[in-house]
Amino acid sequence: MEDRALVERQIGRAPRAFRRVVVRCPFGRPAVTEQSPYDDSGEPFPTTYWVTCRHLVAAISRLEAAGGVERWSEAAQHEPALAESLVRATEEQKRVRADLAAGRSGRDDGASLRLGIGGSANPEQLKCLHAHAAFAMARPGYELGERIVAEIDPLWPEKCCSEPL
């Protein structure tokens, strides 16, 4: 089955601004996808990397529900290595989005190209652990995101979490 169709089944709707799969689970299914900065109609899509694996989505949601956004925002403000990691990843995010936009500016005249991970206007205050985990999985070396991912136990399920294909 084509990747776009697999992602649609994973997320329960047609993916917006889908470009490609950048990380696969051990079972070969999409786990993290890359999105264009703008969808086909020119609307901004500020999340460059998107978690599609149901297991990862659920595990990260549990981290968020347990106060993970606030806890990791605080850690990024108080731990210099994490703060620097976030600054570097935010700048990398902006470069990646500009490259993917390839000169297009969409309906927002390019404003969303200057946003951080997950579309954050204030990178010091994390919005979504899913976006930070996806960024870390897609672009290794992002310490803050990698530490978030390290909290997912197990990282992958024993059996494929996608419905039988």
Side-chain angles (χ1 to χ4, degrees), residues 5-58:
L6 286 169
V7 169
E8 184 170 344
R9 289 178 79 172
Q10 286 176 316
I11 66 175
R13 61 173 172 73
R16 267 184 65 214
F18 175 84
R19 285 186 34 93
R20 65 188 177 113
V21 173
V22 293
V23 176
R24 293 183 183 278
C25 74
F27 307 100
R29 300 288 197 266
V32 177
T33 59
E34 179 181 83
Q35 276 57 241
S36 295
Y38 298 100
D39 68 15
D40 292 338
S41 70
E43 286 297 320
F45 195 92
T47 305
T48 304
Y49 300 109
W50 191 271
V51 177
T52 62
C53 167
R54 292 176 182 162
H55 169 80
L56 290 178
V57 169

Side-chain angles (χ1 to χ4, degrees), residues 37 93-103 113:
Q93 161 77 358
K94 292 174 186 179
R95 283 191 304 276
V96 167
R97 287 181 58 73
D99 289 347
L100 292 174
L113 298 177

Side-chain angles (χ1 to χ4, degrees), residues 121-143:
N122 178 6
E124 293 82 32
Q125 179 59 48
L126 307 186
K127 281 176 51 173
C128 171
L129 298 186
H130 294 82
H132 289 272
F135 191 94
M137 294 178 81
R139 309 208 43 107
Y142 173 36
E143 184 178 351

Side-chain angles (χ1 to χ4, degrees), residues 66-124:
V69 172
E70 296 80 10
R71 183 169 46 84
W72 284 109
S73 291
E74 186 174 316
Q77 291 172 6
H78 294 97
E79 293 183 40
L82 293 183
E84 179 58 30
S85 173
L86 179 57
V87 167
R88 282 193 315 272
T90 298
E91 290 308 310
E92 183 177 356
Q93 161 77 358
K94 292 174 186 179
R95 283 191 304 276
V96 167
R97 287 181 58 73
D99 289 347
L100 292 174
R104 293 182 305 140
S105 61
R107 293 188 182 180
D108 68 350
D109 293 323
S112 64
L113 298 177
R114 296 182 291 278
L115 297 175
I117 295 170
S120 178
N122 178 6
E124 293 82 32

